[in-house]
Amino acid sequence: MRVLVVGNGGREHALCHALSSSPLLTKLWCAPGNPGIAQLAECLPIGVLDIPELVAFAKANQVDLVLPGPEAPLVAGIVDAMEQAGIMAFGPTAAAAALEGSKTFTKLIADAAGVPTAAWERFDDAQSAIDFVHRRGAPIVIKADGLAAGKGVVVATTEAEAIAAITSFMQDGSLGNAGASVVIEECLIGEEASFFALCDGTTAIPLAAAQDHKRVGDGDTGPNTGGMGAYSPTPAFTDQLQNDVMARFIRPTLVEMARRGTPFRGILFAGLMLTQDGPKLIEYNVRFGDPECQCLMLRLKSDLLAALMAAVDGELAHFDLRWHETAAVAVTMAASGYPANPKRNTVIRGLAAAQAIPDATLFHAGTDLRDGNIIANGGRVLTVCATGPSIAKARDTAYRAVSCIDWPEGFCRSDIAWRALVHA
Ligand code: AMP
Ligand code: GLY
């Protein structure tokens, strides 16, 4: 099979890594890819949102399957465009990707499907939103309705903070159109988990759970980021919890999406809060998480490509996924100044030494190749991963690999997976 992956992050590097071991694969491209991905795939200078160019390339090169990594092309309709051109693509149509593209849509689906989620209201004008905050008080959560690259959610601990977020989203237009309306939610308390299911429109099969670390600093402090690290499996996410989430969240959501004529195919990523009253939905995403995907791909024993094909063909009812018993830990290395203002164009050395540590795997995210050097060219720059017989061992190996990397302008959290070690 000739496969085209779309994206350039650590997630897409991990997907290319998993696809590379498939006996079904004959040719792999990635658009636009990165220097790490270039070791596994032919990289194409086409942006993730340049859908007409991607379609033209796929047609001209007899691509059998397109695998978009990030949400933006999915929400923009890459799967619809590929299908119209007769090319198979794994992921939701634009209509189904609204589960990530619109917070309001997610809440409406959750309510219609009986999925437990935070109490919420939607507002189109700032004054009503502010009045609501005054009535409800803090803590309270303000969410821009549209896609905002991780910048659209404020968990406000005071009313003033909530009102500042409303003003910034709705009146100052800080997120453009994405913030024109907001969803205001009850603040949920508990431990978070990311759960992933592979869906073919009718059937869903569980992938695995992982836990992400969203805050930039040790001890879960500082601003939110795209994800500073992850680990899988998650001790807090028991088999019983997985069955419960499949039965009360994932399957009813698929039924409701199909009933509306927009069946969901692809990866359904449930962001969950494990509250005292049981799991509650924080949000849906319609793709793999980054860096959760890096952990999942290192634990997946089954052929990823065969699994994706079964989903595209509507054959998941007859499919089974197997996992390695090992644990996986992913540590994000980011450029200093991330998330507000990451420093670019700094040289990274020691990658080969890190990769040489047994059981360690390095995925590139925001890197570039310049004059033979790997340089940082983004916020999250590398995902340093390791597998092991336990989370503790995998984590030790990952940090051993981190210590091989010579990059004074980079940093990482030093406490990835701390929750798992507390549970142990
Ligand atoms: P998002 O940018 O949509 O991934 O959300 C960012 C983070 O905001 C989530 O990972 C949670 O930590 C937090 N969050 C979102 N909604 C709620 C809620 N209703 N209660 C508490 N925390 C929330
Ligand atoms: N790591 C969270 C996400 O990919 O949205």
Side-chain angles (χ1 to χ4, degrees):
M1 287 192 60
R2 298 158 68 80
V3 180
L4 167 61
V5 172
V6 176
N8 64 349
R11 167 181 51 209
E12 289 75 25
H13 190 176
L15 291 171
C16 288
H17 175 84
L19 291 171
S20 296
S21 65
S22 171
L24 301 173
L25 187 81
T26 50
K27 173 76 191 175
L28 186 60
W29 291 274
C30 187
N34 65 39
I37 293 173
Q39 294 171 10
L40 304 170
E42 185 180 336
C43 293
L44 306 169
I46 310 177
V48 302
L49 282 172
D50 194 349
I51 293 175
E53 272 293 308
L54 292 168
V55 170
F57 178 87
K59 265 168 83 168
N61 293 277
Q62 295 92 44
V63 169
D64 297 304
L65 181 72
V66 177
L67 172 56
E71 62 277 15
L74 293 167
V75 171
I78 189 170
V79 170
D80 312 63
M82 290 291 173
E83 282 178 351
Q84 271 158 27
I87 295 154
M88 282 200 289
F90 173 83
T93 58
L99 274 180
E100 176 159 2
S102 163
K103 304 280 188 206
T104 308
F105 182 77
T106 305
K107 297 301 265 188
L108 290 172
I109 294 287
D111 286 354
V115 172
T117 184
W120 66 289
E121 254 181 81
R122 173 200 162 100
F123 296 92
D124 295 309
D125 82 281
Q127 196 51 52
S128 321
I130 290 169
D131 293 343
F132 182 77
V133 165
H134 285 310
R135 284 204 302 281
R136 285 299 162 92
I140 196 159
V141 181
I142 313 296
K143 300 187 168 183
D145 186 63
L147 272 194
K151 298 192 175 74
V153 176
V154 173
V155 180
T157 49
T158 62
E159 284 183 32
E161 214 182 313
I163 289 164
I166 292 167
T167 309
S168 152
F169 294 169
M170 301 186 81
Q171 289 180 330
D172 305 342
S174 62
L175 302 174
N177 216 17
S181 51
V182 297
V183 165
I184 303 190
E185 280 188 2
E186 158 199 13
C187 187
L188 301 171
I189 312 284
E191 190 170 324
E192 277 184 61
S194 307
F195 177 69
F196 299 86
L198 179 64
C199 308
D200 71 3
T202 314
T203 302
I205 60 176
L207 289 171
Q211 202 162 48
D212 183 12
H213 298 61
K214 290 231 161 77
R215 304 292 189 132
V216 76
D218 279 4
D220 296 322
T221 54
N224 259 326
T225 69
M228 292 303 292
Y231 62 95
S232 176
T234 44
F237 203 86
T238 58
D239 288 349
Q240 190 192 345
L241 196 50
Q242 171 165 313
N243 292 339
D244 182 39
V245 169
M246 287 300 292
R248 288 198 301 141
F249 292 64
I250 305 294
R251 293 197 180 104
T253 299
L254 285 204
V255 169
E256 179 61 19
M257 292 297 285
R259 192 188 67 74
R260 291 176 179 235
T262 53
F264 186 88
R265 224 172 57 184
I267 300 294
L268 190 55
F269 163 173
L272 302 167
M273 190 73 89
L274 309 180
T275 75
Q276 282 192 330
D277 306 328
K280 295 217 175 163
L281 182 72
I282 297 174
E283 60 174 356
Y284 275 133
N285 296 311
V286 300
R287 40 137 187 117
F288 281 108
D290 185 342
E292 292 97 321
C293 181
Q294 290 85 313
C295 289
L296 296 191
M297 290 306 113
L298 292 176
R299 292 189 57 220
L300 182 65
K301 197 176 197 174
S302 301
D303 181 353
L304 174 66
L305 187 47
L308 300 179
M309 288 309 299
V312 171
D313 291 340
E315 297 281 338
L316 283 182
H318 315 289
F319 204 84
D320 192 27
L321 276 178
R322 285 180 303 144
W323 299 87
H324 291 292
E325 287 301 315
T326 48
V329 171
V331 177
T332 299
M333 293 196 75
S336 61
Y338 176 76
N341 196 11
K343 186 163 181 194
R344 290 173 193 263
N345 300 316
T346 57
V347 176
I348 306 167
R349 296 195 172 83
L351 295 175
Q355 182 67 71
I357 302 268
D359 299 326
T361 307
L362 218 64
F363 295 119
H364 287 233
T367 62
D368 239 337
L369 188 60
R370 198 174 298 161
D371 305 326
N373 288 319
I374 295 290
I375 60 154
N377 185 30
R380 293 190 294 168
V381 174
L382 297 167
T383 321
V384 182
C385 300
T387 53
S390 65
I391 300 265
K393 291 247 162 57
R395 169 176 138 139
D396 287 348
T397 306
Y399 279 112
R400 212 147 21 93
V402 164
S403 69
C404 296
I405 292 173
D406 173 13
W407 179 31
E409 297 86 358
F411 74 97
C412 64
R413 277 182 60 164
S414 66
D415 64 347
I416 297 306
W418 69 268
R419 283 184 192 274
L421 304 180
V422 168
H423 280 286

